Amino acid sequence: MKQVAVDDTEDVSLDLGNEEDLVLRKAQIRHPLATFFHLFFRIGAIVVYLFCDWFSKSFVTCFVTILLLLSFDFWSVKNVTGRLLVGLRWWNQIDEDGKSHWIFEAKKALVIAGISLQSANLYGYIHCKTGGQQNVGKVASRFLSQQLFQRELRSRKYMMKETQYSVPWKGVSPVLIYT
């Protein structure tokens, strides 16, 4: 028998396509129609806000147009572009007891980005509310303490039971007993 010598050092090329084709495929937008509407409604609302006085002197017309554009933006992000472009989904389920439960699905990086953007938004809101004159840290801590205090008051309100004692004299208000 004759044995054929095989050269293991032979270069094998993988046909992955032309490098220019790979670059073009990466540069293409995966969902161009969804991306268009995602940008159209947002940019449209900003443009209408900035230049609405040129087209109409009616505040109501400007307000309704901006509100409609932002409503379309919300709908498209919730139902189409959020799911297609970044993998966000949310919906509401009602269980057998009639309680409403919101279910959110997102990638971890999106959650981290969302939390950081919301905290920046909250910081800006507090800074604008105080007029930039007070220390934002003090205002934020005061705001949070007020919220916790109000929540505690509400919880105690639900825990209180109203009872009346039989008293021989008239004009006595009921006594509140904490349980």
Side-chain angles (χ1 to χ4, degrees):
M1 288 197 124
K2 273 185 160 180
Q3 290 185 352
V4 178
V6 176
D7 185 14
D8 288 338
T9 61
E10 180 181 343
D11 283 340
V12 177
S13 64
L14 298 174
D15 187 22
L16 298 175
N18 192 359
E19 283 186 24
E20 293 171 359
D21 291 340
L22 289 173
V23 171
L24 285 175
R25 253 188 273 148
K26 287 183 180 180
Q28 288 179 345
I29 298 172
R30 292 177 74 179
H31 304 283
L33 190 62
T35 305
F36 170 76
F37 283 110
H38 181 76
L39 296 174
F40 174 76
F41 293 130
R42 290 172 184 229
I43 293 172
I46 293 171
V47 167
V48 169
Y49 174 74
L50 292 175
F51 302 113
C52 192
D53 286 340
W54 290 1
F55 303 112
S56 173
K57 296 296 180 196
S58 171
F59 172 77
V60 174
T61 304
C62 295
F63 180 80
V64 169
T65 305
I66 293 168
L67 187 65
L68 284 173
L69 286 169
L70 292 176
S71 298
F72 293 149
D73 174 57
F74 174 79
W75 182 88
S76 68
V77 167
K78 182 192 180 311
N79 294 313
V80 181
T81 62
R83 183 174 41 87
L84 291 177
L85 299 179
V86 293
L88 289 175
R89 293 186 342 159
W90 69 87
W91 63 92
N92 185 5
Q93 284 184 346
I94 299 176
D95 61 6
E96 295 83 24
D97 298 335
K99 290 186 179 180
S100 176
H101 299 282
W102 283 95
I103 298 166
F104 298 90
E105 290 182 358
K107 297 175 183 173
K108 276 191 177 180
L110 291 174
V111 173
I112 294 168
I115 289 172
S116 63
L117 291 173
Q118 286 297 333
S119 58
N121 194 15
L122 178 64
Y123 174 81
Y125 172 77
I126 292 171
H127 191 68
C128 288
K129 185 174 179 160
T130 62
Q133 298 170 356
Q134 297 178 357
N135 186 359
V136 175
K138 289 179 184 177
V139 173
S141 64
R142 188 179 322 130
F143 174 75
L144 290 175
S145 64
Q146 285 176 349
Q147 293 299 319
L148 291 172
F149 181 70
Q150 288 175 355
R151 183 179 296 164
E152 181 66 26
L153 284 178
R154 280 191 296 254
S155 68
R156 286 185 185 257
K157 179 182 174 184
Y158 291 118
M159 291 173 31
M160 293 187 320
K161 291 184 180 177
E162 209 172 339
T163 60
Q164 273 190 325
Y165 290 109
S166 58
V167 186
W169 58 88
K170 294 182 181 179
V172 175
S173 62
V175 176
L176 299 177
I177 298 177
Y178 291 103
T179 57

